[in-house]
Amino acid sequence: MPELPEVETVRSELAPWITGATIVRARRVDAPAGPKYAHLSRCEGALVRAVERRGKFLVLPLVGSVGDRDELVVHLGMTGVITPERPDSHVRVQLDLEGVEPKTLYFRDVRRFGRFLVAPDGDYSGLPTLKRMGPEPLGDGFGIDVFADRMRSRAPVKSHLLSQVPVAGLGNIYVDEVLWQVRVHPQTRACDVSRKKLAGMRDAIVSVLEAAVRARGTTLSDYRTVSGGTGGYGHALAAYGRHGQPCLRCETLLKRITVGQRSTHFCSRCQRRKKATS
DNA sequence: CTCCCGTCCTGTGGGC
DNA sequence: TGCCCACAGGACGGGA
């Protein structure tokens, strides 16, 4: 569930804590060796130069590591939490730090969907989504021309937005919110959305994510900030989880369907499916 | 290459 | 009341 606003909140709390820290030891705990924890030992002895974010990935550039362009890449998956307080269970990684306080960082991940790995020389070959990721919605480079170009796909608009290719950072919750905002049916083919609608969609992506970042994200169940806090955007949700409740625009009861194996919430009156022509 | 679907994983909660 | 199973979902890889 952590999407851009949740990951950005974690990033902003993590940065002042561990920027400048040296990683003395990186230990896998109750987690199998494998691609999700690849090359973890390479970060031992390295200094954390910054805490950045690409979409839903945290990216920590390292210096003084085996390779000077190594990056520590973290994805919270569904249930990943980074905390200085030792969790009572489901710890996957323990980092021992030097030069900062507190000196220990824990990665807890109940469902094991998360990743915590080192990308040697910043090579994302084992991370295809990161490699193909679209522009940051809250940065420069998310213009309508780039967005429209990246939206050329015959896949349902919802599925395509979830692919991270048109824009970075959207997940199931905020995609439903954006599509409700701009009144686009989630099963419309991405390439069938008009340029005008795409312009509105681009603006809605920015405004929804900005508001959610301000609220420090949405907490549905597991998500917690580094300091243990919860996000406040849940009260602002107009579509996600509101099936059976009245649309905030037209009072029609919202529906829940499945699109691309994902639960999808929308208003069948406001969000009309574009009729196939032929 | 593109698109679709299965898989991973485990706690929760809804239904009987 | 208690048990069981379906569900939640991001990324990835395999198959068509």
Side-chain angles (χ1 to χ4, degrees), chain A residues 219-234:
Chain A
T219 295
L220 290 187
S221 55
D222 299 282
Y223 164 75
R224 291 295 183 279
T225 70
V226 174
S227 54
T230 55
Y233 195 73

Side-chain angles (χ1 to χ4, degrees), chain A residues 31-246:
Chain A
K36 290 185 174 180
Y37 298 91
H39 313 296
L40 193 53
S41 61
R42 273 177 77 108
C43 70
E44 293 187 340
L47 183 142
V48 177
R49 195 154 50 80
V51 182
E52 299 166 353
R53 180 188 54 71
R54 268 298 275 141
K56 306 174 203 174
F57 289 84
L58 291 166
V59 177
L60 286 63
L62 305 173
V63 287
S65 180
V66 180
D68 252 7
R69 305 193 41 177
D70 283 3
E71 289 174 346
L72 182 58
V73 176
V74 181
H75 197 294
L76 301 176
M78 289 292 298
T79 54
V81 174
I82 292 171
T83 174
E85 291 180 28
R86 178 191 287 276
D88 51 10
S89 64
H90 304 105
V91 173
R92 307 302 173 199
V93 174
Q94 175 179 338
L95 285 192
D96 294 333
L97 308 170
E98 200 173 78
V100 296
E101 198 66 41
K103 293 190 176 313
T104 311
L105 171 160
Y106 299 93
F107 178 56
R108 177 175 197 253
D109 183 24
V110 173
R111 287 187 195 163
R112 302 174 188 263
F113 275 30
R115 290 144 215 276
F116 202 111
L117 57 94
V118 172
D121 296 316
D123 176 14
Y124 300 152
S125 54
L127 300 159
T129 300
L130 191 51
K131 206 171 178 179
R132 298 189 60 205
M133 190 162 287
E136 283 297 321
L138 304 185
D140 302 330
F142 186 45
I144 177 60
D145 291 334
V146 171
F147 182 54
D149 186 53
R150 285 179 165 266
M151 281 293 277
R152 295 160 174 237
S153 166
R154 283 183 296 281
V157 60
K158 166 155 183 173
S159 303
H160 193 52
L161 288 170
L162 286 176
S163 76
Q164 310 297 298
V165 167
V167 61
L170 291 176
N172 206 39
I173 296 174
Y174 296 110
V175 161
D176 282 3
E177 293 303 304
V178 166
L179 294 178
W180 180 85
Q181 288 280 344
V182 295
R183 310 184 193 212
V184 171
H185 192 290
Q187 287 176 317
T188 307
R189 292 193 303 178
C191 57
D192 286 344
V193 180
S194 71
R195 169 98 180 181
K196 190 175 175 184
K197 277 284 186 192
L198 286 180
M201 191 179 296
R202 194 215 74 97
D203 294 347
I205 289 168
V206 173
S207 62
V208 165
L209 292 178
E210 276 181 349
V213 167
R214 276 197 298 275
R216 308 185 72 69
T218 302
T219 295
L220 290 187
S221 55
D222 299 282
Y223 164 75
R224 291 295 183 279
T225 70
V226 174
S227 54
T230 55
Y233 195 73
H235 300 295
L237 295 178
Y240 186 85
R242 294 198 66 246
H243 51 288
Q245 298 177 56

